[in-house]
Amino acid sequence: AVVRGCGGVWRRAWRRGAGGPAPAPAPRGQRAVACNARGGAVPAGKSGLAPWVPVVGLEIHAQISSNSKLFSGSQVQFAAPPNSLVSFFDASLPGTLPVLNRRCVEAAVMTGLALNCSINKKSLFDRKHYFYADLPAGYQITQQRVPIAVNGSLSYSLCIDSKTSQMVTKTVRIKQIQLEQDSGKSLHDDTRSQTLVDLNRAGVGLMEVVMEPDMFCGEEAAAAVRELQLILQTLGSSQAVMAEGQLRVDANVSVHHPGEPYGVRTEVKNINSIRFLAKAVDYEIQRQIEELENGGTILNETRAFDSKLGCTVPMRDKEGKQDYRFMPEPNLPPLILYDAKSLPANVNHQQVVNIDWIRERLPDLPSVKRAKLVERYGILPEHSFTLLNEDGLSEFFENVVKQTQMKPKKVIGWILNDLLSYLKQHSLTVKESPVSSFLLADLLNLLEKKEISSTAAKQVLAELWKAEGKTPLEIVKEKKLELIQDQKELEQICQAVIDGQENEVIMMVLG
Amino acid sequence: QVSAALKEGRVTPTELCQRCLSLIKSTKFLNAYITVAEETALKQAEESEKRYRTGQPLGVLDGIPIAVKDNFNTAGIETTCASNMLKGYISPYSATVVQKLLDQGAVLLGKTNLDEFAMGSGSTDGIFGPVRNPWSYSRQYKEKSVLKSQSEDEESNWVISGGSSGGSAAAVSSFTCFAALGSDTGGSTRNPAAHCGVVGLKPTYGLISRHGLIPLVNSMDVPGILTRCVDDAAVVLGSLAGHDPKDSTTIQDNFKPFELPSLTDVSKLSIGIPKEYNAPGLSSEILALWSKAADLFKDAGAKVIEVSLPHTRYSIVCYHVLCTAEVASNMARFDGLEYGHRSNMNKSTESMYAATRREGFNDVVRGRILSGNYFLLKQNYENYFIKAQKVRRLIANDFVKVFQSGVDILLTPTTLSDAAPYMEFIKEDNRTRSAQDDILTQAANMAGLPAINVPTALSERGLPIGLQFIGRSFQEKQLLSVAKWFEKQVKFPVIQLEEVKRHDHDVFQHQKSASFS
C-alpha cells in the first residue's frame, strides 16, 4: 500500500509538471481486489477512509442457436464466406419486411423460464436508430419497452477458498431478457483506408440478458456468466461459445463507500473469455479505487479490455453520446404468447408459442443435475461442479460408474485427478479423450478386484493414453503388473529375493 | 369488356399491349410514366396470347395491360421512387402485389411517376418532373377554360394530376392502361383519382401485402388500386387481397374474391355524412355536389344522417408527427452503402453518409427526416410521438362509434376543390399543400379503414370531381357495392382527349372500352 500510495502522489506530481516523459503506469495489482465472496467491501487504501464497495452488473448478448435469422430466412452459420448468408431483408433492401422466427421466440422463452423470469404474454418490438456501416437499416430491431421476459434470477456458486475448495452459492437478479437483431461485422483496412462489411451476422437472433448490479468482483461475474453459459448450452438456446462471439459480455462497474449512492459507472467491453471477464472487472475496480483515492473522478465512459496488457482503456465512442430515437417497429404486431389457460381452442399449434408446453419440456438444468449427482453417487458438491463444467464429463463419469464395481466416490478421484488433469495438460475435450469410459471402467475393475495395485493402475493408465488399442488387461500382462494372489508363488519370489541377497540376510540374522 | 374481347379473340393480348405502348408514346407529354418496359411487356403479352390460344387463360386479368407506381419493387425493371437516391436501382425481387398480378397474366407496361418517395399531393415533386393531368388536354376542360383565359398561353394552363400516385391516375385516365397500382398513406391514391376522374380504392390496412412497397409510413401505407370503374377495382382487389407470409401485418385468413352485386335497392342502407368534412376551403361546387349525392341516396330510400367525427380536425397535426417520425426511420437505410446513390465524398464514413443523403434526397424528404428525428428525440418523444399516437387512437375511435351507431358507409368529398393549375399549385410549398390536400382522406388511413373515390361530375372548369365513400374495416364488398350503385347513378362523362385523338385516332377509339371486367 505504501508503494501504491507513493505511486499516486508521484503520478500527480508528474501531471502537474510540464513536459517530461510520460509517466510510467502506476504499479497495479499490489493488492488484488479482495473478493471474499461475502459481498464484503474492499479495505480502504492509505487514505484510511471507509472501505470501497465495488458493484458489478452485466449485459450479456447470447446468439440464439437457430437455423435461420431472427427476421429472415437466411441461414445462421459461423465463419461462412463473407456475405454468403444475406437475404434481401438482411441487406435492408427497400420494401422488405421482418418476419419473426418462431424458433428464436421459443429459445428466449426457454431461457427466460430457466432463469426464473416471468414471461410477458405480450411483448413489443422497437427500432433503435444509429448509423453504422454494419447496421444496414440504420436501426436495430430490439425490445426496449416490453421485453419478452423480466424479473428473473440466476444462482451460481463459486469457490471461496482454494485450499478447502469450499463453495458458496449466490444469486443475481435478472432484470430482463430481450430479443434483438445482431449487427454485421466491419473490418477496417487502415492501409487502404477502407472498411469492409460482412453481413452474415446481420440479423442473427440475440437474447440480451441484463443482470442487475448484484455482483462485487470479477470472480463472481465470471461464475455467474459460466453458470449462464452452462444453462444456455443445456437448453440448446445458444451455443454460447465466447471465442466465436456467441456469448458477449459487457460489464458495468462502479465503486462507492458503504451507505452512499452508487458511484459513476464505466462499461467494459471487448471481453472475450470468462477468465478475461474476471480480470477485466477486477482491474477496473482497482483502477477506479485508485483514481478516486488519488482525487480523480470516474467518467461515465466505455472502456475496452486489452487482454494482452491486462488492462482497460477508454474506447473511442462511435459518435459521442447517442440519442437512439426509439420508436415502435410498425411492421411487427405485438408478440403474443399463450399458456395452457389462454390458448384459444381450434388454433393451429404451428402458429402459436405455448409457454406451458415449453416449460414441461425443459431439460434438467445444471443445478438440478448437480444435486442429482451428489444424491445419487454421494460425491462432494464441489465435485459435481467440476463434472458439469466440462462438456461430457458427467456423462463420462456416469458411464464409468455403470460399468464398474468400484464405488462412485472412488471413481470420481480417478476422473478428476487423472482423466481431467491429463486432458487439461493436453488441451483435449472429454470427447477427444484417448481413453474411453469403457477402458477406464475396465482398468478400475482390475483395481477393484485387487488384481493390480493402485500404483500399477496408474502405470497402466499411462500406457492407455498412448491409445495403442490395448486393453488394460493386456498391458498388465505385458508389463507383469498383476498382484500375486498365489501363496506358493509369493513364497518362491520371497525365497528368490532372500537367496539373491545372502549377505544382507546374514547381517540381519546376526543383528 | 376487354377481357371478354380477349376471350372471344376479338383482340389479342399482343395487339392490346402494342396499342397501349403506342398510346404511352403519344401521351408522353403527360409524364405519367418513369419507365416503360416495352420489351418485357411484349414478352408477357406473347405468353398470354399463347395461353388464350390454348384456351387456358389464367383469369380475368390475363393479358390486361397494367401500370405500377414506381415505389413498388419490380424485379428487372428500375424502381426509382422518383428520387436521385434510387435512380438506376433495379430490385432483385418483385413486390407481392406485383408478383400476384404477373402470376395472373397481367402485362406490366411500366412504372408510373410520383412525388419523391410518395411525399406530396401533386405529383410535382419528383426528379422526373411533374405529371400533367390528362384532363388538361380534354375537350371538356378546353372549352371552359379557354373561354375564360384566351390570352393565356396553353402551356401554363395545364392542371396537376394530384398525388402522390399521379402517374398511375393519369395513366388510367388517359387509357394507356386498364388498371394501375398506387399507394395510399394519407390519400395518395384517392386524391389523384379524384383529380383525374378515375376510381381510386384504398383497401383496409392489412388486407393487401405491403411487401415490396417502399414505405412512407408503415402503419398507414396501403397499396391502392386505380381503375376506370368500380367493377374493375373489385377484380384487382380480389387478385391482390389476402395473407402474405412476407408481411406480418396482413390478415391471417385467406381472402375470397367476390363478384360485385348490382344493387337495385339501397333503402336498407344508412349513409353517414360527417359534418367535419365540410372543412374550411371546401369549394362551393363540391359542397353542392356532395349534398346532391346525399339526396340521391335519400331519394332512393336510404337513411342519410349527419354524423360527427370530432377528432378528425386534429388529424393533420397528428399525421405530421407520425408520418415524419416513420419517414426519419425508414429513410435511415439510404446510406449509400448497400444500394442506391453514393456520394464521391470519401473523407470519412460520416461525411460520405451526409453527402449521399444531401445529394440523394430532395428538400421535402430531408425536411421530413429532420422533423421526424426531432419528434423522436428522447426529450420530445413523450410530448409529440406518444401524444400523436393517442390522438390517432381517438380519431380511429370516432369511426368505430359512428359505425357502431348503425351507419354503414360514410359519404364525403375526396378533395377540397378540382385540380389546380400547376403554376398555382407550386406557389405553396409541399408541406402546406400536403396538409391541405390530405385533409379529407387522411383520417381513413389513421383508422385503417377502406375508402374509395368515385368520379362524380365535372366542375365548372370542366375538371373531374370525386366523392369518397368510407366503409367498415374489411367490409370492402359492401363499400364497393354502394360505390358501384353510385357510379351507375352519376354517369360520369368519358374524357375527350383532344391531343391524343389528334395524334393517334385509331388507337384511341379502341381504348375507349373503359373497363376490362
Side-chain angles (χ1 to χ4, degrees), chain B residues 238-253:
Chain B
S239 69
L240 298 181
H243 179 67
D244 179 10
K246 288 173 183 154
D247 177 356
S248 315
T249 61
T250 49
I251 42 156
Q252 287 302 315
D253 312 322

Side-chain angles (χ1 to χ4, degrees), chain A residues 172-191:
Chain A
V172 56
R173 289 168 299 152
I174 306 289
K175 184 168 178 253
Q176 64 184 56
I177 300 174
Q178 65 201 48
L179 278 168
E180 60 184 35
Q181 296 173 296
D182 209 341
S183 64
K185 283 180 184 168
S186 313
L187 292 164
H188 302 286
D189 179 348
D190 283 334
T191 48

Side-chain angles (χ1 to χ4, degrees), chain A residues 470-486:
Chain A
K470 293 177 198 159
T471 66
L473 196 61
E474 281 166 0
I475 297 171
V476 168
K477 286 260 165 64
E478 209 174 277
K479 302 241 165 194
K480 295 197 168 51
L481 292 169
E482 54 277 77
L483 284 179
I484 297 140
Q485 316 248 337
D486 184 326

Side-chain angles (χ1 to χ4, degrees), chain A residues 88-131:
Chain A
F88 299 151
F89 174 79
D90 304 329
S92 80
L93 294 196
T96 51
L97 299 169
V99 179
L100 184 58
N101 180 346
R102 187 190 144 98
R103 154 72 193 162
C104 294
V105 175
E106 287 170 342
V109 171
M110 277 168 84
T111 308
L113 291 173
L115 296 179
N116 310 303
C117 292
S118 22
I119 307 295
N120 280 325
K121 292 208 189 110
K122 177 182 173 184
S123 60
L124 304 170
F125 290 96
D126 304 281
R127 292 180 178 181
K128 175 182 178 177
H129 299 87
Y130 60 93
F131 283 103

